[in-house]
Each structure stands twice: as structure tokens, then as C-alpha cells.
Amino acid sequence: VALHIGCRDIITIGWDIGTGSHSYSNNSPLSNIADKPNIEETNEAIRTTPQLYEWCKNNKINIKILSSTNPADTRFERLKSINDI
């Protein structure tokens, strides 16, 4: 949607493609939810982030990630704090 309205600068907040435990840990109230992340799909999303980075670069789209743990391609610029926006 962002591209269709002309956005060229995108900052992700909560782009949760990691396989860490955070929201889905056994101690979480969400631990029994049916829609836990599919590990195979999550790994595929992570594996394809280099192609996403290249596509964005070729199409002049600037994506920054507000996360210190997101496993996306390391070429994506990372923001350490919401204050960096």
C-alpha cells in the first residue's frame, strides 16, 4: 500500500521475522495461541531479505528497521531508538 501512495521512505516498527521467543515464550499469556509463527515460513522470509533489499535499492525505496534483533539483511539501516526517526 505504501508504494501505491508514493511512499519512498519506510521505517518498520515491530517487523517480527525473528525466531526468538519474545511474544511466544512458554511463560507468555500468548503461549497457547493457535497462530504461532511457522518456522519454515519465517526462515524463508529471513532468507529473502537480501532480494528485498536489492529490490528496494533498485526502486529507490529506503527502508529502515527500528530493531536491534531483526535478522533481516544487514544492509538495511537499523535505528536504535524511536528518537532516531
Side-chain angles (χ1 to χ4, degrees):
V1 173
L3 298 179
H4 294 294
I5 61 172
C7 292
R8 296 289 179 203
D9 293 305
I10 299 170
I11 299 171
T12 69
I13 300 172
W15 181 21
D16 191 7
I17 61 169
T19 56
S21 61
H22 41 110
S23 298
Y24 302 99
S25 70
N26 290 333
N27 297 330
S28 168
L30 301 176
S31 63
N32 293 321
I33 63 172
D35 294 330
K36 290 184 182 180
N38 178 300
I39 298 301
E40 188 174 311
E41 290 175 3
T42 300
N43 288 336
E44 179 67 15
I46 295 166
R47 278 192 302 274
T48 60
T49 59
Q51 293 92 329
L52 175 61
Y53 176 86
E54 290 297 329
W55 185 88
C56 290
K57 182 179 173 185
N58 292 336
N59 289 281
K60 297 180 174 60
I61 302 194
N62 181 32
I63 296 182
K64 296 178 184 177
I65 300 172
L66 178 60
S67 174
S68 61
T69 61
N70 185 297
D73 190 286
T74 58
R75 295 175 293 174
F76 284 106
E77 182 179 345
R78 300 305 203 275
L79 302 175
K80 293 179 183 181
S81 163
I82 200 157
N83 295 325
D84 294 337
I85 296 174

